[in-house]
Amino acid sequence: MQFGVVLQCDPPAARTVQLAKLAEAHGFSHLWTFDSHVLWQEPYVLYSQILHETKRIMVGPMVTNPATRDWTVTASLYATLNEAYGNRTICGIGRGDSAVRVGGGKPTTLRTLRESIHVIRELANSRPVDYAGTTVQFPWSVGSALDIWVAAYGPKALALTGEVADGFILQLADLDIAEWMIGAVREAAAAAGRDPDAITICVAAPMYIGTDSAHMREQCRWFGGMVGNHVADIVARYGDDGRVPRALTEYIAGREGYDYNQHGRAGNTHAEFVSDDIVERFCVLGTPEEHIAKLRKLADLGVDQFAGYLQHDNKEETLRVYGETIIPQLRQHITATKVTA
């Protein structure tokens, strides 16, 4: 299992770079950031500095979208960073949430998302592509390599992920929901003639090391509010027809609006509807032993990477415990499981 860290690009920029360096030092393979240019600093500028000051860690957004940048601009950003730092970028992408909604916009359609993935992938992999009726290629790009992982929740988005994505980003760590969604992606991949096991599965959720359960829940309750934005869209589209697990839809019954200026922040007043049970199911909280137990269960479901959000007041300690205890033990467990299988 790989391990990633998810950061917001809050100023000062040097702090984001510092945490990225610390994540690499503690054995994390991926550094992800929010990509919401109004709420936070521009991530691609920071990626350049992070790549310059690290040696191995991969960088990318969790997640970008097809609406806020021209697709050729997005592809050029990746291809440029890859040329400069040796293919250490990855693209997480979805229909768009805070980046578009904070300005009154709406998420793109799945058709637009599918088309954008194709254009970005071809250009960022140094290949030509048809774009708006014209064949486009970066004449300066040679040997760039970019995987595209899609963030999805609803049935149609999960199907698209299975059909076209290199990886699947599931932004919650509930075991039952994860099993259903991973299964849906793999079924779609098989139906499209792809190898389901070739799709990398990434679960992303807040990780907090501690023993004060009430405090940890309050620090991470915002996450249930963020997920609720996507679930509300799904419920509006599908209703209660059984295509979406009730465990995913029932918890938003008390949801009333959302202020994107508080998006992804501890103390978000628009996450009060999120119950303690949901926080614990969606996140990975507690002692190192509790983290290891839940991550083992996720690994058994086929999860290839756990990416932990650090939007709380215990960043350095959480990174330290992961680096010294959790990552080594999980890798030892997974290696032993493969040997005995």
Side-chain angles (χ1 to χ4, degrees):
M1 178 180 277
Q2 295 178 327
F3 293 86
V5 171
V6 188
L7 302 176
Q8 291 170 340
C9 297
D10 281 314
R15 170 69 166 154
T16 305
V17 176
Q18 176 195 39
L19 287 169
K21 293 167 66 177
L22 189 60
E24 180 177 81
H26 284 307
F28 289 84
S29 61
H30 288 68
L31 188 285
W32 304 91
T33 71
F34 286 52
D35 178 10
S36 194
H37 59 288
V38 174
L39 297 177
W40 297 287
Q41 293 179 326
E42 170 56 39
Y44 292 98
V45 175
L46 298 185
Y47 294 163
S48 182
Q49 188 66 20
I50 290 168
L51 290 168
H52 178 71
E53 296 195 24
T54 57
K55 296 179 179 179
R56 299 177 307 278
I57 205 162
M58 302 281 291
V59 303
M62 188 174 282
V63 294
T64 193
N65 67 85
T68 52
R69 293 181 181 85
D70 182 274
W71 307 341
T72 63
V73 172
T74 299
S76 182
L77 289 165
Y78 290 113
T80 300
L81 291 171
N82 283 343
E83 189 281 326
Y85 300 104
N87 289 336
R88 291 171 54 201
T89 66
I90 187 166
C91 176
I93 193 169
R95 294 172 55 223
D97 185 33
S98 63
V100 293
R101 297 197 214 235
V102 74
K106 296 181 179 179
T108 66
T109 65
L110 289 174
R111 178 178 179 178
T112 297
L113 177 59
R114 183 189 297 268
E115 292 172 351
S116 72
I117 290 169
H118 176 65
V119 170
I120 294 168
R121 172 185 281 136
E122 295 308 294
L123 289 174
N125 282 277
S126 303
R127 297 189 292 259
V129 70
D130 180 82
Y131 180 65
T134 301
T135 299
V136 179
Q137 184 173 13
F138 301 145
W140 46 267
S141 178
V142 179
S144 176
L146 179 75
D147 281 351
I148 298 183
W149 295 7
V150 176
Y153 289 104
K156 290 183 179 179
L158 293 169
L160 180 149
T161 302
E163 292 163 2
V164 304
D166 299 304
F168 166 44
I169 296 173
L170 170 55
Q171 291 166 301
L172 55 81
D174 180 276
L175 296 170
D176 293 334
I177 296 171
E179 183 176 16
W180 175 79
M181 289 191 173
I182 292 169
V185 168
R186 287 176 169 163
E187 288 177 9
R194 305 180 68 200
D195 177 3
D197 293 329
I199 299 174
T200 303
I201 307 297
C202 174
V203 162
M207 57 180 181
Y208 195 117
I209 295 291
T211 57
D212 186 337
S213 297
H215 180 74
M216 290 187 292
R217 288 194 296 265
E218 287 310 308
Q219 285 289 301
C220 298
R221 198 176 303 277
W222 63 266
F223 183 69
M226 184 183 82
V227 173
N229 298 326
H230 302 284
V231 174
D233 287 345
I234 295 170
V235 172
R237 177 179 292 271
Y238 296 101
D240 191 19
D241 65 2
R243 281 186 284 178
V244 179
R246 293 182 65 84
L248 185 61
T249 60
E250 286 182 342
Y251 87 96
I252 67 164
R255 179 179 181 271
E256 296 180 0
Y258 193 81
D259 181 0
Y260 275 91
N261 290 301
Q262 299 182 38
H263 186 64
R265 299 193 183 279
N268 185 330
T269 59
H270 293 78
E272 294 174 350
F273 71 93
V274 181
S275 69
D276 289 349
D277 177 63
I278 287 293
V279 177
E280 293 183 357
R281 283 166 50 193
F282 281 18
C283 304
V284 183
L285 313 176
T287 64
E289 293 74 21
E290 289 172 315
H291 282 245
I292 290 168
K294 187 163 188 177
L295 292 172
R296 282 180 175 178
K297 292 177 181 178
L298 287 169
D300 290 342
L301 293 177
V303 174
D304 301 295
Q305 180 181 145
F306 171 66
Y309 287 87
L310 282 181
Q311 284 66 57
H312 55 63
D313 60 2
N314 198 31
K315 295 178 177 64
E316 280 85 357
E317 177 65 4
T318 297
L319 288 174
R320 183 191 68 80
V321 174
Y322 262 78
E324 294 181 3
T325 303
I326 295 173
I327 292 176
Q329 289 195 30
L330 260 296
R331 286 179 174 162
Q332 184 179 17
H333 167 75
I334 292 169
T335 300
T337 302
K338 289 181 179 178
V339 169
T340 57

